[in-house]
Amino acid sequence: MDGQDVSNDEEMPFGMASLWTAPLVMKTRQETQNKRCRPLGAESEPYSMAKASLKRMERPQEENSPGATKKRKSAGGVPSEELTSQTLIGAPLSSPTEIENILDSDPRDLIGDFSKGYLFHTVDGKHQDLKYIDPEMMVAVLNGSFTRFIKECVIIDCRYPYEYEGGHIKGAINLHMEEEVEDFLLKKPIVSSDNRRVIVVFHCEFSSERGPRMCRFVRERDRLGNEYPSLHYPELYVLKGGYKDFFLKFRSYCEPQGYRPMHHEDFREDLRKFRTKSRTWAGEKSKRELYSRLKKL
């Protein structure tokens, strides 16, 4: 268009000549150059504030997204030792910046009641919503490495009784039914004392289904019986690899020192019986819960 001759007004529509006047063209180009050449960081104040606010709005969504496992680091790289639930849910905070600073101050994930970080080192597992420990960490607990921090560590073996009898981790309790676990842990909860923790570790043969399912069940029932975010058992773990991996690595910590798989040929009838019993109880529980909900309508 710069090469066209715009001096002939007869060839142009009415009013078009005024659009090609030099002052208007030069002004527009000058403004464009100014915008392109603006120094880095020289944003206008309203734009900077809006941008900062948008960043603060986006961060909580990332923190609360399902399966989010990324840990945040503080500016100094030093983890804070405690972040109490009162800090997060106590007195109302005056600005999103304060909330952001609190989240930045503790790079660790918090246990179920948000009172402190997890005691054990965790590893990746099949289910991202659960915390896994490896067999080495389990042995460290059995050897008393955490005695001064733990009042009691309950190991729940979720396998069927014939599996448990064929070999289990020393001190583990065999509870394969949800009602058994609920009675043992929640009817008369184990209370922590002297700031020492009560920790529960779940496992089955591979810690693939039965152990993780029981872990979720305890957390669900614990939530229902307490005012949020309080919990009787805020710190739950799943033993990665289950009894099979533990036995292969640390046979001496098992009693008896054996491993009986769920699909053992000599216990097919027992497997069928326990599976039927579990499904029947699960079905009756679903009916009871449905009836309870209908009564509230």
Side-chain angles (χ1 to χ4, degrees):
M1 296 180 69
D2 291 338
Q4 295 180 355
D5 184 5
V6 297
S7 60
N8 188 354
D9 294 341
E10 293 180 353
E11 298 179 1
M12 300 176 59
F14 178 76
M16 280 294 293
S18 61
L19 297 178
W20 298 97
T21 57
L24 181 59
V25 173
M26 292 302 294
K27 182 178 180 181
T28 302
R29 290 179 177 175
Q30 185 65 32
E31 289 178 350
T32 303
Q33 291 176 356
N34 290 341
K35 289 181 180 179
R36 290 179 179 176
C37 298
R38 176 179 294 171
L40 181 65
E43 300 169 344
S44 63
E45 185 176 351
Y47 176 79
S48 301
M49 294 176 63
K51 186 175 180 181
S53 299
L54 182 59
K55 286 184 177 179
R56 290 195 293 267
M57 290 290 288
E58 291 175 347
R59 179 163 293 176
Q61 292 180 346
E62 296 172 355
E63 295 292 336
N64 296 330
S65 61
T69 57
K70 183 178 180 181
K71 296 183 178 180
R72 302 165 58 83
K73 294 183 178 180
S74 60
V78 181
S80 61
E81 292 300 320
E82 287 191 359
L83 182 61
T84 62
S85 57
Q86 288 78 10
T87 306
L88 286 174
I89 62 174
L93 301 173
S94 60
S95 69
T97 305
E98 293 186 43
I99 299 176
E100 182 179 340
N101 291 337
I102 290 174
L103 294 173
D104 283 335
S105 67
D106 195 331
R108 303 169 301 174
D109 291 335
L110 301 178
I111 60 177
D113 62 0
F114 314 127
S115 62
K116 55 180 71 72
Y118 282 88
L119 179 63
F120 298 157
H121 172 72
T122 58
V123 294
D124 294 334
K126 178 180 179 180
H127 305 276
Q128 294 184 358
D129 60 314
L130 304 177
K131 294 295 180 182
Y132 287 79
I133 60 172
D134 56 24
E136 288 75 13
M137 182 60 64
M138 188 76 263
V139 168
V141 176
L142 295 173
N143 285 336
S145 300
F146 297 89
T147 302
R148 69 190 189 98
F149 303 105
I150 300 175
K151 177 182 178 180
E152 187 168 349
C153 180
V154 184
I155 305 173
I156 304 294
D157 188 329
C158 304
R159 296 176 300 158
Y160 299 132
Y162 67 88
E163 299 175 82
Y164 177 85
E165 293 165 1
H168 56 268
I169 299 173
K170 291 181 179 180
I173 303 169
N174 184 216
L175 301 170
H176 72 283
M177 295 283 289
E178 291 180 350
E179 58 182 349
E180 295 175 340
V181 175
E182 187 173 11
D183 290 344
F184 180 81
L185 290 178
L186 298 175
K187 281 199 171 180
K188 191 177 180 181
I190 305 171
V191 182
S192 61
S193 60
D194 300 326
N195 203 29
R196 295 168 68 196
R197 312 182 188 209
V198 175
I199 293 174
V200 186
V201 180
F202 299 85
H203 79 85
C204 51
E205 184 175 2
F206 308 107
S207 287
S208 177
E209 297 299 334
R210 290 178 288 177
R213 182 171 63 245
M214 197 70 78
C215 182
R216 291 194 186 101
F217 172 79
V218 171
R219 174 54 53 84
E220 175 189 346
R221 291 301 187 192
D222 205 354
R223 284 283 186 216
L224 292 174
N226 287 282
E227 184 177 353
Y228 186 86
S230 298
L231 290 166
H232 294 304
Y233 304 101
E235 195 161 355
L236 306 179
Y237 297 92
V238 175
L239 176 61
K240 185 174 182 178
Y243 180 75
K244 180 180 180 181
D245 280 6
F246 186 89
F247 173 76
L248 293 175
K249 293 181 178 180
F250 302 104
R251 181 190 297 254
S252 62
Y253 287 86
C254 303
E255 56 181 13
Q257 293 184 14
Y259 166 43
R260 184 176 294 165
M262 182 178 71
H263 292 284
H264 195 286
E265 293 182 357
D266 297 337
F267 295 90
R268 291 181 180 178
E269 185 60 28
D270 294 87
L271 174 60
R272 187 192 65 80
K273 180 183 66 175
F274 288 120
R275 276 185 166 176
T276 301
K277 184 178 179 182
S278 297
R279 289 169 182 170
T280 301
W281 185 84
E284 292 176 351
K285 182 186 71 170
S286 298
K287 291 179 181 178
R288 289 195 301 268
E289 291 178 348
L290 179 60
Y291 178 71
S292 178
R293 291 177 183 176
L294 290 173
K295 286 178 65 177
K296 294 179 180 179
L297 295 177

